[in-house]
Amino acid sequence: MIKEMGKLKTVKNYPKFMLELALNILKDNRLCDNCLGRQFALVGFGLTNKERGHILKNALILELYNKIPDDTEAVSINQNIAKMGNVLAVQSLQRKECEINLNSANDSACELCEGLFDQLTNYVKPVVSKLKDEDYQSFIVGAKIPPEILEKEDNIRAKYNITTGESIKSEFTREIGKLIMNQTNKEPDFELPDITIIIDLSNQNITLQKRSLFIYGRYRKFIRTIPQTKWPCYDCNGKGCIRCNYTGKRYTESVEELIAGPILKIAGGIGSRFHGAGREDIDALMLGNGRPFVIEIKEPEKRNIDLKKIEKRVNKKTKRKVQISNLSFANKKKVQEIKSQAKKTRKTYRATITLDKDIPDELFLKLQNELKETKLKQQTPKRVLHRRSDLVRVKTVYSVSIKKLAEREIEAEIIGEGGLYIKELISGDDGRTKPSFSSILDCQAKCVKLDVVYLHTDEN
Ligand SMILES: [Zn+2]
Ligand SMILES: [Zn+2]
């Protein structure tokens, strides 16, 4: 049910003589039931503004009955109410044999809303027909009210010192919302509506804003040549040039595109955004249980989609490059959640490392011991300085275990804190990471192959 906002509140500045205030308003203004009732929206409960306005008008007609036809002011107020179609007012004038001045048609429109509340169904019809092809469960109505109407309402409120009214916008959107709900059987949702319907009263335009669809999942990456997200071409900044073969991209494929493509085909929508829980280097594999991600589909045509089918479709299409799993529907909050989680998540890496001289086995033992449960200082690596600020981060290495592959070639399994730069932990990055494989082994160590083999998240 649509909440009758604020109606259950007790009002402090309750008008002492509500009828007197209503009478004063109607003396100089011709208002419809809605617009009169709305000025008392916060008084009492259980009535629509229209009902409130109607009751107040009828009460006034009864009150004025003994004053007409002699009191000219009473007659004119009665006339004003009769012009707006109040049956009791018309009968009252008839009985007292007063002239009923129902002359021109432009005399019978509400001076405040200009007949808006008589035409609600005219607005609802096109909205409902627009909604017919949409896949949604919930909606909310928004409106752009012409400034001259807002100004008129402000003036009335100021003139009569009205403290119990609600805004024309909230009444309009609520009443429209009720009618839409009755015709579509969909629920209004004030927090996270699937669709926001915006009605612009000045030009009768109706726009539908569709909430993005968020899908959570985990991905694994099996090739060393694709980045996680789309990279714009350096030369043209994404516009397209000879260098990038007019694709605007530095790499022809990315994890993002491989996943988003099939999803967009199924869900529709105007575009997508990929949010990863951290990222691995282009040349690193992402193995094990996979890395969490959230993909956001903008303005989806379908929400009720089969995630199992999507998983199959993506995995079939991307073959041995990328595989996804654990898909579930998510919301915007999940994006922040996986990003902040990524900073804390331990990861297990496997690195193949070359050394520029022969190293005695004892030194590998020393390396394993020295890096066990160690906090190290890592200044932003030179290779990412162009996109990250230059500062020193303290990161933890939990364990390192070394396997010798050949003379001057080893394999290391490293468990480290999220955000630890592994290539620099190995090379030392000219002293920017301390200590490092190079500093402990007293040689130049270089990571030639790197894979993320496991993410230790809470889920596992
Ligand atoms: Zn009105
Ligand atoms: Zn280019």
Side-chain angles (χ1 to χ4, degrees):
M1 262 306 290
I2 294 187
K3 278 180 261 170
E4 295 281 328
M5 293 286 287
K7 292 250 168 102
L8 297 176
K9 262 192 279 179
T10 315
V11 179
K12 275 191 195 132
N13 300 328
Y14 188 91
K16 259 199 186 129
F17 303 103
M18 211 190 325
L19 277 176
E20 196 179 310
L21 180 52
L23 185 82
N24 280 336
I25 296 171
L26 291 176
K27 225 180 255 177
D28 328 305
N29 304 278
R30 207 171 55 240
L31 300 185
C32 67
D33 292 353
N34 294 75
C35 288
L36 178 66
R38 189 169 62 252
Q39 310 312 322
F40 304 95
L42 303 183
V43 180
F45 64 95
L47 296 170
T48 63
N49 289 337
K50 194 182 171 81
E51 289 164 339
R52 260 156 224 276
H54 189 65
I55 290 169
L56 286 168
K57 282 180 181 176
N58 280 352
L60 285 175
I61 294 303
L62 295 180
E63 175 121 359
L64 295 172
Y65 188 67
N66 284 333
K67 293 188 178 176
I68 56 175
D70 303 331
D71 184 333
T72 51
E73 193 178 74
V75 173
S76 122
I77 295 168
N78 208 323
Q79 289 272 16
N80 260 349
I81 298 175
K83 279 178 194 167
M84 299 296 309
N86 184 294
V87 178
L88 200 62
V90 174
Q91 287 172 349
S92 178
L93 292 168
Q94 279 168 342
R95 281 179 183 237
K96 293 286 179 102
E97 292 177 340
C98 294
E99 207 186 325
I100 310 173
N101 251 331
L102 298 179
N103 40 13
S104 56
N106 57 2
D107 249 15
S108 66
C110 170
E111 289 173 335
L112 177 46
C113 70
E114 294 162 7
L116 180 66
F117 289 99
D118 297 332
Q119 304 159 22
L120 293 180
T121 48
N122 294 354
Y123 289 98
V124 171
K125 234 192 226 164
V127 171
V128 170
S129 91
K130 266 200 166 194
L131 286 171
K132 214 157 52 199
D133 302 324
E134 300 296 332
D135 184 7
Y136 68 107
Q137 286 311 313
S138 60
F139 70 91
I140 193 171
V141 181
K144 288 181 187 157
I145 310 282
E148 56 281 9
I149 291 185
L150 295 176
E151 205 180 307
K152 274 193 261 176
E153 180 150 78
D154 283 349
N155 288 341
I156 288 184
R157 285 210 203 176
K159 187 170 172 192
Y160 302 99
N161 220 344
I162 295 164
T163 54
T164 51
E166 71 169 331
S167 70
I168 188 166
K169 184 169 163 172
S170 69
E171 178 175 11
F172 177 74
T173 54
R174 183 180 61 243
E175 295 304 321
I176 291 279
K178 284 184 195 170
L179 293 170
I180 294 174
M181 182 171 70
N182 289 341
Q183 293 193 27
T184 59
N185 281 324
K186 306 285 183 181
E187 290 286 310
D189 182 337
F190 299 91
E191 302 277 309
L192 269 180
D194 288 342
I195 290 188
T196 302
I197 302 152
I198 298 184
I199 303 173
D200 188 337
L201 290 178
S202 56
N203 55 17
Q204 323 292 310
N205 270 353
I206 294 162
T207 37
L208 302 183
Q209 288 173 359
K210 303 177 207 177
R211 185 165 60 86
S212 291
L213 177 66
F214 293 89
I215 298 171
Y216 166 87
R218 303 181 78 114
Y219 76 84
R220 290 178 295 155
K221 188 185 101 179
F222 304 115
I223 56 170
R224 296 184 192 282
T225 49
I226 59 171
Q228 187 193 56
T229 50
K230 242 184 331 194
W231 279 30
C233 166
Y234 285 155
D235 291 310
C236 64
N237 220 344
K239 285 192 204 89
C241 64
I242 291 184
R243 284 287 282 279
C244 61
N245 205 9
Y246 297 96
T247 59
K249 296 185 293 186
R250 181 137 185 253
Y251 299 90
T252 51
E253 283 180 322
S254 61
V255 174
E256 171 182 16
E257 290 159 286
L258 288 171
I259 296 175
I263 298 182
L264 269 171
K265 261 209 180 121
I266 292 175
I270 58 162
S272 66
R273 263 188 85 185
F274 185 91
H275 311 273
R279 59 167 75 220
E280 61 285 332
D281 292 326
I282 291 170
D283 57 2
L285 305 186
M286 179 64 230
L287 305 171
N289 51 350
R291 185 185 294 279
F293 69 88
V294 172
I295 190 141
E296 176 181 351
I297 304 294
K298 291 181 176 169
E299 300 197 18
E301 282 156 25
K302 289 190 199 138
R303 290 175 186 280
N304 198 6
I305 50 177
D306 184 348
L307 295 180
K308 275 270 163 263
K309 193 168 132 194
I310 287 201
E311 188 174 315
K312 261 192 205 146
R313 184 81 60 92
V314 171
N315 289 345
K316 196 175 161 207
K317 222 167 164 201
T318 60
K319 289 264 163 55
R320 284 178 296 271
K321 296 172 189 166
V322 169
Q323 295 278 285
I324 58 172
S325 60
N326 300 56
L327 295 191
S328 63
F329 290 110
N331 57 32
K332 202 171 188 166
K333 270 191 218 145
K334 190 80 181 170
V335 175
Q336 275 317 306
E337 209 179 291
I338 63 165
K339 297 240 180 230
S340 62
Q341 210 178 53
K343 290 185 192 123
K344 293 176 262 167
T345 306
R346 287 179 185 214
K347 296 183 187 72
T348 302
Y349 300 88
R350 192 189 305 126
T352 307
I353 299 160
T354 57
L355 310 164
D356 70 347
K357 60 183 184 200
D358 296 347
I359 304 292
D361 288 350
E362 314 85 79
L363 265 184
F364 293 132
L365 288 175
K366 184 181 168 218
L367 175 88
Q368 289 179 165
N369 284 332
E370 276 195 25
L371 288 178
K372 196 173 178 144
E373 300 291 336
T374 303
K375 285 193 188 311
L376 54 82
K377 285 189 183 143
Q378 195 155 52
Q379 192 173 353
T380 306
K382 282 186 285 183
R383 70 187 162 95
V384 299
L385 264 180
H386 64 282
R387 58 183 171 89
R388 301 209 59 178
S389 49
D390 191 9
L391 36 97
V392 176
R393 295 174 184 83
V394 176
K395 291 286 171 187
T396 304
V397 179
Y398 299 104
S399 71
V400 173
S401 69
I402 303 284
K403 197 167 91 186
K404 205 164 170 183
L405 296 179
E407 281 308 323
R408 304 189 182 188
E409 191 181 22
I410 56 172
E411 185 181 274
E413 191 179 272
I414 302 160
I415 300 178
E417 188 183 348
L420 174 71
Y421 289 104
I422 299 298
K423 286 175 181 169
E424 285 68 26
L425 166 68
I426 292 163
S427 71
D429 200 21
D430 290 333
R432 293 168 75 88
T433 293
K434 275 182 281 196
S436 66
F437 279 42
S438 291
S439 73
I440 296 169
L441 299 176
D442 192 24
C443 71
Q444 189 52 57
K446 190 178 170 213
C447 175
V448 291
K449 210 165 96 178
L450 178 67
D451 302 323
V452 183
V453 292
Y454 202 79
L455 254 78
H456 307 254
T457 51
D458 301 340
E459 287 172 44
N460 309 283

